[in-house]
């Protein structure tokens, strides 16, 4: 399965402060379903309430996008740390053009 570096944030009931990750996610052939951390996230047809994908098992909405080169992946009104999956660190560093991860920002 094709792997892609993605930003994923739980939106359901979180008011912009849901857990967020950057990680390597599997993609379906059509690109409409993302597989990450044991979840299948399906693209929301016509857009969701606050996310662009939803979990097929729980119905929770997620925002899924590519990571940003400047590291500012959260929505401007969002808050909280963005976790980087251990298996994605080297690809993330290469994508950002960094030698090491930046210190945590609060």
């Amino acid at each position: 399965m094709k792997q892609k570096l993605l930003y994923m944030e739980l939106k359901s009931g979180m008011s912009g402060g849901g857990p967020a990750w950057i990680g390597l996610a599997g993609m379906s052939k059509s690109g409409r379903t993302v597989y990450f951390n044991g979840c299948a996230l399906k693209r929301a047809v016509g857009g969701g309430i606050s996310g662009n994908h939803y979990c097929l098992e729980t119905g929770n909405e997620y925002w899924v996008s590519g990571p940003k080169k400047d590291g500012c992946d959260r929505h401007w009104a969002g808050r909280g740390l963005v976790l980087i999956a251990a298996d994605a660190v080297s690809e993330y560093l290469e994508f950002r053009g960094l030698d090491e991860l930046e210190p945590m920002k609060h």
Side-chain angles (χ1 to χ4, degrees):
M1 181 179 301
K2 181 179 169 185
Q3 295 263 314
K4 185 173 181 177
L5 189 65
L6 292 175
Y7 169 79
M8 293 153 282
E9 178 182 339
L10 176 61
K11 300 301 280 182
S12 293
M14 294 294 161
S15 301
W21 309 266
I22 292 176
L24 294 172
M27 305 287 292
S28 66
K29 286 183 183 180
S30 69
R32 294 183 189 143
T33 306
V34 172
Y35 301 95
F36 179 74
N37 204 22
C39 275
L41 306 176
K42 182 87 171 170
R43 182 180 304 276
V45 177
I49 295 171
S50 59
N52 59 1
H53 285 71
Y54 64 94
C55 177
L56 290 174
E57 186 176 326
T58 65
N60 286 335
E61 290 191 32
Y62 288 80
W63 184 262
V64 178
S65 67
K68 298 199 173 48
K69 289 253 186 204
D70 64 4
C72 297
D73 293 288
R74 288 263 188 196
H75 183 273
W76 65 267
R79 62 193 178 286
L81 297 174
V82 176
L83 303 175
I84 301 171
D87 65 349
V89 171
S90 62
E91 189 165 332
Y92 179 72
L93 290 173
E94 183 179 330
F95 171 77
R96 293 272 322 274
L98 300 172
D99 292 324
E100 59 186 35
L101 291 175
E102 300 169 315
M104 293 191 316
K105 300 174 189 172
H106 299 286

